[in-house]
């Protein structure tokens, strides 16, 4: 196949402008690769059908979303048992803009994101040291559970560090100050876009941990604290960026084909 130039690729009318600005960069699992210029430039010689790849991925994320909905009620019960008040969201102290810029790295949200990432790493390290995967391959049912576990692990590990990174980006955008310029008042905020990507990573990670529980029921107790950690982080990010959930990411949050 002849290698196409960037101009040729970019002239495709199906592409969605800027779709790659607020995605999670997980192209392998992206349901909109056929609308993305970044993907096109990286896959010019790839012969597989992008459309069937997108349909498969859309179904994957739909399933994970339904798991998240089911898990929400359980989270409240686990929090109650653990004596955690999920509604208590500590107020952040007002600080000067300059000071806040200096403190992004040590911001409570950044620290909470990193703490979760480390806790997830510890969990998988302990898991890998104590389980023989070959023992799980005995029956068809076991194989299905193993596949589910591997899918969940892939999701968790994809977002494990990205949650903190995107949260830090959201905090940085805000502390930079340019979002507060009066002439930008009507524009969506980059900080909200980044916070939304972090929140989606949190949602998907919670659902994926629930899939881990369903695959490995004897590990439920060790995974509940991770889910609660994520749930608290979710509430804190939502509290700090109340408009984030409403941010419309090009492509992902639009009804594609609808007039603007
Ligand atoms: S929009 Fe999808 S295909 Fe494009 S860079 Fe993001 S994840 Fe990859």
């Amino acid at each position: 196949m002849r290698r196409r130039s960037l101009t040729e690729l970019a002239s495709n009318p199906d592409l969605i402008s800027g779709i790659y600005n607020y995605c999670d960069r997980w192209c392998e699992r992206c349901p909109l690769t056929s609308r993305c210029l970044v993907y096109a430039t990286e896959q010019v010689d790839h012969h597989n059908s992008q459309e069937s790849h997108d349909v498969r991925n859309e179904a994957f994320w739909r399933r994970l979303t339904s798991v998240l909905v089911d898990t929400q009620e359980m989270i409240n019960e686990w929090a109650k048992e653990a004596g955690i008040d999920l509604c208590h969201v500590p107020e952040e102290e007002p600080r000067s803009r300059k000071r806040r810029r200096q403190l992004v790295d040590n911001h409570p949200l950044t620290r909470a994101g990193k703490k979760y990432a480390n806790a997830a790493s510890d969990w998988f390290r302990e898991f890998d040291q104590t389980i023989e995967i070959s023992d799980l391959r005995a029956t068809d049912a076991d194989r299905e559970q193993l596949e589910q576990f591997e899918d969940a692990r892939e999701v968790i590990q994809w977002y494990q560090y990205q949650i903190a990174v995107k949260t830090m980006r959201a905090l940085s955008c805000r502390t930079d100050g340019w979002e507060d310029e009066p002439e930008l008042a009507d524009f969506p905020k980059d900080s909200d876009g980044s916070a939304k990507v972090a929140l989606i990573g949190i949602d998907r990670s919670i659902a994926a941990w629930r899939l881990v529980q369903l695959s490995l029921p004897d590990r439920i107790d060790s995974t509940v604290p991770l889910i609660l950690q994520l749930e608290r982080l979710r509430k804190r990010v939502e509290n700090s960026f109340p408009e984030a959930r409403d941010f419309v990411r090009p492509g992902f949050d639009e009804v594609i084909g609808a007039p603007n």
Side-chain angles (χ1 to χ4, degrees), residues 108-195:
L109 287 179
T110 305
R111 286 208 308 271
K114 288 179 178 173
K115 195 172 165 193
Y116 161 71
N118 291 335
S121 280
D122 291 345
W123 190 91
F124 281 110
R125 191 176 312 112
E126 197 271 339
F127 173 79
D128 289 338
Q129 283 167 358
T130 54
I131 200 140
E132 282 292 328
I133 293 291
S134 56
D135 292 348
L136 297 175
R137 295 183 196 275
T139 66
D140 282 349
D142 289 339
R143 267 192 292 276
E144 263 178 40
Q145 285 201 330
L146 180 60
E147 258 176 47
Q148 180 172 263
F149 171 74
E150 292 297 350
D151 274 349
R153 179 180 188 140
E154 204 184 355
V155 172
I156 291 164
Q157 293 186 329
W158 186 265
Y159 294 110
Q160 187 179 335
Y161 297 102
Q162 195 180 89
I163 291 168
V165 169
K166 292 293 178 185
T167 304
M168 287 170 76
R169 180 173 158 77
L171 292 166
S172 298
C173 292
R174 178 180 281 174
T175 53
D176 281 349
W178 60 266
E179 289 187 339
D180 299 331
E181 297 298 327
E183 59 271 29
L184 295 177
D186 294 334
F187 285 88
K189 290 190 165 78
D190 197 31
S191 55
D192 286 332
S194 294

Side-chain angles (χ1 to χ4, degrees), residues 4 66 110 173 187 199 216 218:
R4 285 180 287 164
S66 74
T110 305
C173 292
F187 285 88
L199 286 168
L216 308 166
D218 60 326

